């Protein structure tokens, strides 16, 4: 095929001149590019399956015909989905089905009234522990009545678990002449485990219990009518 521009002979079937590059007259037109594929719209998502019609038994999960009042499987009374749930003794939120999200199930239902799946029971919150009772108050400590009695029947009362006796105490019931040898804190009387005891408090002139010197001898148990002599001048008797 001869080029119309440079008269160069080109082989048959060429589209452009191999010498000058011009398009050859009478060359077959180039094939058009293939058409782009037509974009098809995405297929619509399948519709969810229709829920079966009827009344689902909340006890056994069997689907019963619409309008039925008793389950055909377990003969339990049916609760209609549109009817309000019966009042429960304890208020509880309705059971929401974890499978289909149906939230109209009664709080006592075991199976979903919409899809029939078993419901997960909601655990009840633990009951609050009752407050601990306060311990009873300790009973007051009582001590048996005791006293020191002088020969003239004057008395020095003993009260509480511990009583110290000295010159000032005896001056209320005895003369200064009789008490001048008694120390300021001469002796002590204590109550321990249901018993009274006497102990000399390091007096100058000592203490005798039933004629026996107890100075420096520790405590001695007291009994009713025991004789106590302070500094060899003041005599008293212990009485309960």
């Amino acid at each position: 095929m001869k080029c119309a521009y440079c008269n160069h002979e080109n082989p048959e079937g060429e589209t452009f001149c191999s010498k000058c590059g011009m398009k050859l007259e009478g060359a077959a037109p180039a094939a058009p590019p293939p058409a782009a594929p037509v974009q098809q719209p995405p297929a619509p998502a399948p519709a969810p399956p229709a829920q079966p019609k009827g009344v689902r038994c909340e006890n056994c999960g069997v689907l019963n015909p619409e309008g039925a009042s008793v389950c055909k499987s377990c003969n339990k009374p049916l609760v209609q989905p549109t009817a309000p749930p019966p009042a429960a003794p304890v208020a509880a939120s309705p059971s929401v089905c974890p499978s289909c999200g149906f939230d109209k199930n009664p709080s006592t239902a075991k199976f979903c009234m919409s899809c029939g799946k078993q419901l997960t029971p909601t655990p009840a919150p633990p009951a609050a522990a009752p407050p601990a009772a306060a311990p009873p108050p300790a009973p007051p400590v009582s001590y048996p009545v005791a006293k020191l009695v002088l020969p003239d029947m004057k008395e020095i009362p003993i009260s509480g678990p511990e009583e110290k006796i000295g010159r000032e105490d005896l001056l209320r019931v005895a003369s200064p002449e009789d008490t001048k040898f008694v120390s300021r804190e001469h002796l002590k009387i204590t109550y321990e485990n249901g018993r009274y005891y006497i102990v000399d408090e390091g007096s100058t002139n000592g203490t005798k219990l039933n004629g026996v010197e107890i100075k420096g001898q520790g405590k001695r148990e007291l009994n009713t009518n025991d004789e106590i002599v302070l500094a060899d001048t003041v005599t008293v008797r212990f009485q309960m």
Side-chain angles (χ1 to χ4, degrees):
M1 182 178 292
K2 182 181 288 187
C3 176
Y5 296 94
C6 67
N7 295 322
H8 178 71
E9 288 290 342
N10 293 278
E12 290 294 332
E14 292 292 332
T15 304
F16 295 93
C17 177
S18 60
K19 182 177 181 180
C20 67
M22 297 299 291
K23 188 175 181 180
L24 298 175
E25 295 291 338
V38 179
Q39 189 75 19
Q40 297 294 331
Q51 296 293 340
K53 294 183 178 181
V55 182
R56 186 78 62 177
C57 177
E58 66 178 39
N59 183 65
C60 67
V62 171
L63 185 66
N64 294 270
E66 289 183 338
S69 60
V70 178
C71 178
K72 63 184 179 181
S73 175
C74 65
N75 291 327
K76 295 285 186 179
L78 297 174
V79 179
Q80 302 299 325
T82 56
V90 179
S93 59
S95 299
V96 179
C97 178
S99 300
C100 68
F102 185 71
D103 60 354
K104 303 298 183 184
N105 295 292
S107 60
T108 56
K110 299 178 182 178
F111 295 89
C112 177
M113 296 174 62
S114 175
C115 67
K117 297 293 182 66
Q118 187 172 5
L119 299 174
T120 303
T122 303
V141 179
S142 59
Y143 303 97
V145 177
K147 56 189 175 180
L148 299 178
V149 182
L150 278 75
D152 60 1
M153 304 308 294
K154 292 180 180 179
E155 299 176 355
I156 300 175
I158 306 298
S159 60
E162 179 179 297
E163 190 79 29
K164 291 186 178 182
I165 305 297
R167 185 185 307 115
E168 296 295 328
D169 303 287
L170 292 173
L171 280 174
R172 295 196 294 267
V173 293
S175 66
E177 182 66 25
D178 293 336
T179 60
K180 64 181 180 180
F181 296 111
V182 177
S183 298
R184 186 171 62 87
E185 291 186 358
H186 198 98
L187 59 84
K188 179 173 65 177
I189 296 176
T190 59
Y191 184 77
E192 304 173 24
N193 300 321
R195 300 283 185 177
Y196 275 104
Y197 296 89
I198 183 173
V199 61
D200 185 275
E201 288 285 272
S203 65
T204 302
N205 297 303
T207 303
K208 291 180 180 178
L209 176 63
N210 296 325
V212 179
E213 180 62 54
I214 63 171
K215 179 181 177 179
Q217 302 301 314
K219 64 182 181 181
R220 292 289 186 269
E221 184 178 346
L222 283 173
N223 296 293
T224 299
N225 290 325
D226 279 353
E227 182 185 72
I228 304 170
V229 180
L230 295 80
D232 289 327
T233 56
V234 179
T235 301
V236 296
R237 286 195 177 273
F238 176 78
Q239 291 186 358
M240 287 192 295

